[in-house]
């Protein structure tokens, strides 16, 4: 079962936002 | 070569052939990333959410973010007028969106928007409902199920008491609201199918 949301990098955005450092550009 | 962009968080539903997928993605993510960050900030404000493990917070947000966004942006789907407002502020009629190939997911969003809108929730009631939506999302990958269940029960209790306090004579409102949760699961599954087909060309 591949993860549909991974196409949008959702987990990466969530992790960075949870750690409060989304200021720098996503790589 | 033109591309159809069904999500109203895009500027408009069609992007010209001259724009690459990467360019389309970058302008979309200028709206999508802050919208997701807003959901995360919202989640941090839910009493008890930050007591969950970091991993459980991530898993819940991963499975619940789109459902929260569907509630948050459901007014972009005007069921009465059968129009969708995109990020450029323009509204597009159903007929146009049909020609572009939009079908069952769009219909389901109109129906959901109509049902939720008809409940006439106050902003704080809507916010509490969104909290319930988030903690009611799919729990695959969650390690502490009991903690999430307790969080959900507490939020549902709070929602029930807020609504019954505000509208003591409308006993049907709360059950109608909870019935939106399975609707959101269905919408989320339909949306996930679309996402699986979404690719950013290298």
């Amino acid at each position: 079962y591949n993860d549909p949301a991974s196409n949008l990098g959702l987990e990466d955005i969530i992790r960075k936002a949870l750690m409060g450092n989304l200021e720098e550009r996503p790589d | 070569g033109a591309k159809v962009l069904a999500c109203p968080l895009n500027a408009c539903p069609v992007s010209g052939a001259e724009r690459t997928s990467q360019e389309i993605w970058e302008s979309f993510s200028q709206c999508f990333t802050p919208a997701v960050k807003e959901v995360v900030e919202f989640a941090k404000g839910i009493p008890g959410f930050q007591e969950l493990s970091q991993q459980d917070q991530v898993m819940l947000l991963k499975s619940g973010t789109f459902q929260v966004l569907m509630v948050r942006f459901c007014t972009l789907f005007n069921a009465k007028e059968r129009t969708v407002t995109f990020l450029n502020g323009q509204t597009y009629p159903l007929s146009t969106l049909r020609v572009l190939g939009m079908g069952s997911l769009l219909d389901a969003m109109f129906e959901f928007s109509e049902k939720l809108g008809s409940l006439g929730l106050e902003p704080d009631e809507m916010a509490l409902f969104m909290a319930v939506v988030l903690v009611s999302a799919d729990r695959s990958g969650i390690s502490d199920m009991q903690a999430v269940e307790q969080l959900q029960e507490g939020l549902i209790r709070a929602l029930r008491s807020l609504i019954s306090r505000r509208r003591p004579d409308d006993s049907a409102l709360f059950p109608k609201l909870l019935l939106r949760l399975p609707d959101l699961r269905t919408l989320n599954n339909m949306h996930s199918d679309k996402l699986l087909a979404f690719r950013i060309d290298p």
Side-chain angles (χ1 to χ4, degrees), chain B residues 52-120:
Chain B
L52 300 174
S53 70
Q54 170 114 4
Q55 185 59 13
D56 282 357
Q57 290 180 45
V58 171
M59 286 299 112
L60 214 47
L61 279 160
K62 258 189 84 174
S63 54
T65 289
F66 284 113
Q67 295 180 61
V68 173
L69 289 175
M70 286 167 184
V71 176
R72 169 87 176 72
F73 291 108
C74 82
T75 51
L76 296 178
F77 298 83
N78 185 323
K80 206 160 129 245
E81 306 295 328
R82 282 300 196 245
T83 60
V84 180
T85 302
F86 275 67
L87 204 64
N88 60 5
Q90 281 190 351
T91 57
Y92 296 82
L94 178 58
S95 51
T96 303
L97 301 172
R98 279 275 188 267
V99 166
L100 294 173
M102 296 180 211
S104 52
L105 178 52
L106 177 58
D107 296 337
M109 271 311 300
F110 275 135
E111 192 183 339
F112 174 77
S113 175
E114 188 166 36
K115 285 181 182 170
L116 186 62
S118 70
L119 301 182

Side-chain angles (χ1 to χ4, degrees), chain A residues 1-11 13-15 17-20 22-23 25-26, chain B residues 25 32-33 36-37 40-41 44 54-55 57-58 61-62 65-66 192 195-196 198-200:
Chain A
Y1 171 72
N2 44 22
D3 172 13
S6 62
N7 291 348
L8 297 180
L10 181 64
E11 182 165 341
I13 299 169
I14 288 169
R15 284 188 186 280
L18 273 177
M19 287 180 290
L22 197 62
E23 296 333 308
R25 284 276 310 153
Chain B
W25 161 250
F32 178 67
T33 301
V36 173
K37 186 183 174 189
V40 174
E41 295 307 316
K44 288 178 180 178
Q54 170 114 4
Q55 185 59 13
Q57 290 180 45
V58 171
L61 279 160
K62 258 189 84 174
T65 289
F66 284 113
S192 290
L195 273 184
L196 285 172
F198 174 76
R199 286 293 174 280
I200 307 164

Side-chain angles (χ1 to χ4, degrees), chain B residues 146-166:
Chain B
Q146 197 186 354
V148 175
E149 275 158 20
Q150 279 168 1
L151 187 54
Q152 182 192 34
E153 280 160 21
L155 289 166
I156 288 178
R157 253 195 321 274
L159 183 60
R160 181 188 296 119
S161 73
L162 177 62
I163 291 212
S164 51
R165 211 168 49 242
R166 288 263 172 81

Side-chain angles (χ1 to χ4, degrees), chain B residues 21-32:
Chain B
S21 296
Q22 188 62 31
E23 285 165 343
I24 293 167
W25 161 250
E26 281 186 3
S27 59
F28 171 73
S29 64
Q30 280 165 21
C31 176
F32 178 67

